[in-house]
Each structure stands twice: as C-alpha cells, then as structure tokens.
C-alpha cells in the first residue's frame, strides 16, 4: 500500500508557503499538486503577526526572508497534511542559489516539529522539473506516467507564468491571469524607474512596505528583474572578468546594467538585512551607478523597518528625480 492509498480517499492538503522563491515557482507547484489530485493550500499575505511568529521561531543569524518563510510555514501547519519545503541548491547550470536555501528544510523542521515535510529539491544533476526532484514518497504513490504528465503540465504553466512576468505583470497579477483572472488595466505615463533585488524582497508588499504601489501612484512604470528574459541577462554578464556564482545575484546585476541602457530615471535597490551575497553585489551596483551618474537608492529591509522612514526616503528620491527631470538632466 502506498502512502496515498493509506489516506483512504481523503484529499491530502499540501501547504505551500508564499515566500522566498514562491514568486518564481509557486504556479508550478500549484499545478503539479492539482494534477495529482492533491489540494495545494497557499499561505496568505505576510502580516505583522506572521512575521513576529517567524522571527521568534528562527535563529538570530537567519536573514529576514528566511524568517518570513518560517512564519508562513507555521501559519500553514494546522491547515495542511504536508508542508512543502524546497531545497534549492542549483537551478541553473554552473551556478548556485544562496546557501540558506540548502538548509531550509532543516530550519523548517526545527520550527514546525512533527509536521511532515515534502522536500522538493533542485541540485546540480537534478532539475526542479524532473521526477528526481520530488520526494521519494510522492514518486512511490503514483505511476511514472502520471508523475511525468503532471510535471509536463506544471512546466507549461511555469513557462506561461514567466512570459506574463516578461510582459510587465507582477507575480500576483501574473498568477491571477494564469488561473483565469482579468489582466489589470495600466496607464503608461512614459516615466520609468528600475526596481532591483531578490524576488522575495520586491514582491512581498508587507516587508517592502508597498514600494511598487507607491511608485505606481507617483506615475512610474516599474521595471523589475522578472521583466527581462534570462538569456538577455546572461549576455549582459559576459563583460565580467569572472562569472558570478549565485543565480539571484546574476539577475540583480544583469538587470541593473540593462536598465541603465534603457534610460530609466533612477533605480531603487531593495536588499535584505543579513544577506551575504548582497554585500558584494550591492557594492558593485553602487560603484557602477556612481560611474554612470545614475540616481540609485539602496534600502536595506529588516523586521524593524518603519513605514514612515521608508516612505520618506522613497519620496525624497522621487523629488530628486523630478528636479533632475525639470532641469532636463535625464
């Protein structure tokens, strides 16, 4: 008897935390579990209580996004039968994800106790969309044909989702459109601003205090890394004397260089407190922006970020851009 049969026909619920690389892989996971007849349960938006819970359950050395992820896991623990905890080591050939993703399942296990985990992995010789990426228990519960069919549908949804991102939709909008929603109406004012950083810093409106919405209210079209095809970023990074090891850092720096060429008025860089790779990338971005004379605002997010201080700094940056525009310097 497989573990699926052992549930006696009860529909199994799989908890998916809306954090970290959910903003890249969330639709893939949702579609795959639905294809297998399981019920994906996605956690709600980040909020104050959820963040505080994650901070209390995490080690002090963890970065803000990991603490948020732990908070989402704890919010799901009483609402699902299994919890998805990805172990992403490498998602592209020859480069790697930050080490915190490698130990994520162990940190989650420490926080949620006896809650069973589904560990979906992606390593050097094991792509995220391959059957080997799945937990052994899941592979044993279904036929190989059904697993492959589910993965094919999930990959198709993943490609459609990322095409929507490259058309300028943000993750929540692209996900809604993918699952049958109506595309939001947008007014193009001609003003463009770049927003760079890790996806979990850019698209979680609670930890970045609604930065995208604020910029849109000021009439800017916001250009983020997901707007640019990965191949274009790879080509842009060919100028580096030595390749970068981290996939997310490649996207940040490559996007920054491409946005400079697209003549955006300025760039806002959101980074997470205690993020190791960003200590290097942040310095590269700052030096290049200074050399090009491009206005850059670098904001570091942590669990103590105050809305008034953050909004004031962004509004002051926008004032600077408007003054520069009036003086025809842009």
């Amino acid at each position: 008897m497989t573990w699926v049969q052992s549930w006696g026909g009860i529909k199994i619920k799989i908890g998916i935390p809306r954090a970290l690389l959910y903003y890249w892989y969330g639709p893939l996971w949702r579609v795959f579990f639905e294809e297998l007849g399981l019920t994906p349960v996605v956690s709600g938006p980040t909020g104050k209580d959820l963040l505080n819970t994650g901070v209390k359950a995490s080690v002090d050395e963890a970065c803000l996004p990991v603490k948020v992820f732990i908070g989402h896991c704890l919010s799901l623990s009483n609402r699902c039968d299994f919890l998805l905890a990805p172990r992403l080591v490498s998602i592209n050939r020859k480069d790697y994800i930050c080490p915190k993703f490698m130990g994520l399942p162990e940190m989650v296990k420490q926080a949620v106790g006896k809650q069973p985990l589904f560990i979906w992995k992606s390593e050097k010789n094991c792509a995220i969309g391959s059957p080997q990426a799945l937990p052994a228990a899941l592979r044993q519960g279904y036929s190989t044909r059904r697993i492959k069919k589910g993965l094919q549908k999930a990959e198709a949804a993943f490609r459609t989702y990322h095409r929507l991102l490259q058309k300028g939709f943000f993750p929540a909008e692209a996900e809604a459109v993918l699952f049958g929603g109506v595309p939001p109406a947008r007014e193009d004012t001609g003003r463009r601003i770049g927003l760079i950083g890790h996806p979990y810093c850019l698209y979680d409106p609670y930890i970045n205090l609604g930065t995208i919405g604020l910029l849109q209210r000021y009439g800017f079209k916001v250009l983020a890394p997901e707007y640019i095809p990965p191949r274009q970023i790879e080509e842009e990074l060919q100028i580096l004397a030595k390749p970068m090891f981290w996939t997310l850092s490649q996207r940040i720096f490559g996007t920054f260089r491409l946005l400079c060429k697209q003549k955006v008025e300025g760039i806002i860089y959101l980074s997470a407190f205690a993020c190791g790779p960003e200590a290097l990338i942040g310095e590269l971005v700052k030096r290049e922006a200074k050399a090009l004379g491009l206005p850059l605002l670098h904001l570091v997010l942590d669990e103590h970020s105050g809305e008034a201080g953050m909004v004031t700094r962004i509004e002051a940056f926008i004032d600077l851009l408007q003054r520069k525009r009036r003086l025809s310097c842009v």
Side-chain angles (χ1 to χ4, degrees):
M1 178 184 291
T2 66
W3 70 270
V4 178
Q5 292 167 334
S6 69
W7 281 74
I10 298 174
K11 209 156 187 180
I12 302 169
K13 295 178 182 175
I14 311 294
I16 305 177
R18 191 189 297 272
L20 291 178
L21 289 189
Y22 176 84
Y23 301 101
W24 282 7
Y25 297 114
L28 180 146
W29 290 325
R30 281 183 61 182
V31 170
F32 177 72
F33 289 132
E34 284 173 356
E35 284 298 316
L36 291 190
L38 306 174
T39 304
V41 180
V42 182
S43 57
T46 306
K48 183 178 179 181
D49 291 341
L50 185 148
L51 176 59
N52 289 340
T53 304
V55 170
K56 287 177 185 173
S58 306
V59 294
D60 292 341
E61 294 75 13
C63 64
L64 175 65
V66 167
K67 293 174 181 175
V68 171
F69 187 88
I70 299 291
H72 278 268
C73 290
L74 289 168
S75 75
L76 285 166
S77 59
N78 294 326
R79 298 164 48 204
C80 64
D81 303 303
F82 293 85
L83 194 59
L84 178 69
R87 189 196 301 283
L88 306 179
V89 178
S90 174
I91 57 173
N92 286 334
R93 193 166 166 264
K94 294 185 178 179
D95 53 57
Y96 295 90
I97 291 289
C98 171
K100 67 189 171 212
F101 285 87
M102 302 180 194
L104 194 60
E106 284 70 27
M107 286 190 275
V108 172
K109 190 67 185 172
Q110 181 68 26
V112 301
K114 295 180 180 178
Q115 177 81 43
L117 302 185
F118 264 178
I119 300 177
W120 190 312
K121 61 184 179 180
S122 177
E123 298 172 344
K124 191 174 180 181
N125 298 314
C126 174
I128 195 167
S130 68
Q132 291 74 26
L134 307 175
L138 192 63
R139 293 201 304 271
Q140 292 163 5
Y142 297 91
S143 67
T144 304
R145 185 179 177 185
R146 191 166 180 190
I147 291 279
K148 286 184 177 177
K149 187 179 175 186
L151 286 172
Q152 285 170 357
K153 289 202 173 183
E155 283 194 6
F158 174 77
R159 287 194 293 272
T160 304
Y161 172 69
H162 280 263
R163 279 197 293 272
L164 290 168
L165 295 179
Q166 288 164 19
K167 287 181 179 176
F169 290 101
F170 294 110
E173 298 168 344
E175 190 174 350
V177 172
L178 181 68
F179 292 105
V182 179
R186 292 238 180 88
E187 187 179 339
D188 191 353
T189 62
R191 301 192 69 184
R192 299 188 300 172
I193 192 168
L195 183 68
I196 58 174
H198 292 161
Y200 35 85
C201 292
L202 304 186
Y203 305 123
D204 187 329
Y206 184 78
I207 65 170
N208 67 32
L209 303 170
T211 299
I212 290 177
L214 177 64
L215 295 172
Q216 288 175 329
R217 287 197 292 278
Y218 273 91
F220 285 101
K221 179 179 181 180
V222 182
L223 305 182
E226 283 63 37
Y227 178 77
I228 299 173
R231 182 173 294 180
Q232 207 173 335
I233 291 177
E234 282 177 25
E235 291 171 359
E236 186 61 31
L237 294 176
Q238 296 299 316
I239 54 101
L240 293 176
K242 189 176 179 183
M244 292 181 181
F245 295 114
W246 306 293
T247 302
L248 296 174
S249 299
Q250 290 174 7
R251 290 195 65 80
I252 292 172
F253 191 62
T255 300
F256 168 76
R257 287 185 54 86
L258 288 165
L259 290 177
C260 290
K261 293 178 180 177
Q262 293 186 19
K263 306 291 183 188
V264 293
E265 292 188 36
I267 292 180
I268 296 178
Y269 179 14
L270 300 181
S271 63
F273 179 71
C275 175
E278 283 190 325
L280 171 64
I281 300 305
E283 193 60 31
L284 284 175
V285 168
K286 282 181 193 173
R287 290 186 183 189
E288 192 134 342
K290 188 176 181 181
L292 295 170
L294 182 75
L296 171 72
L297 176 63
H298 184 190
L299 297 171
V300 180
L301 308 173
D302 67 13
E303 57 264 40
H304 305 298
S305 294
E307 183 174 0
M310 179 102 165
V311 171
T312 300
R313 292 182 68 186
I314 293 175
E315 289 180 336
F317 184 68
I318 293 171
D319 283 346
L320 181 147
L321 298 181
Q322 288 172 338
R323 180 175 296 183
K324 214 174 171 189
R325 186 183 174 90
R326 282 199 301 273
L327 296 173
S328 301
C329 294
V330 177

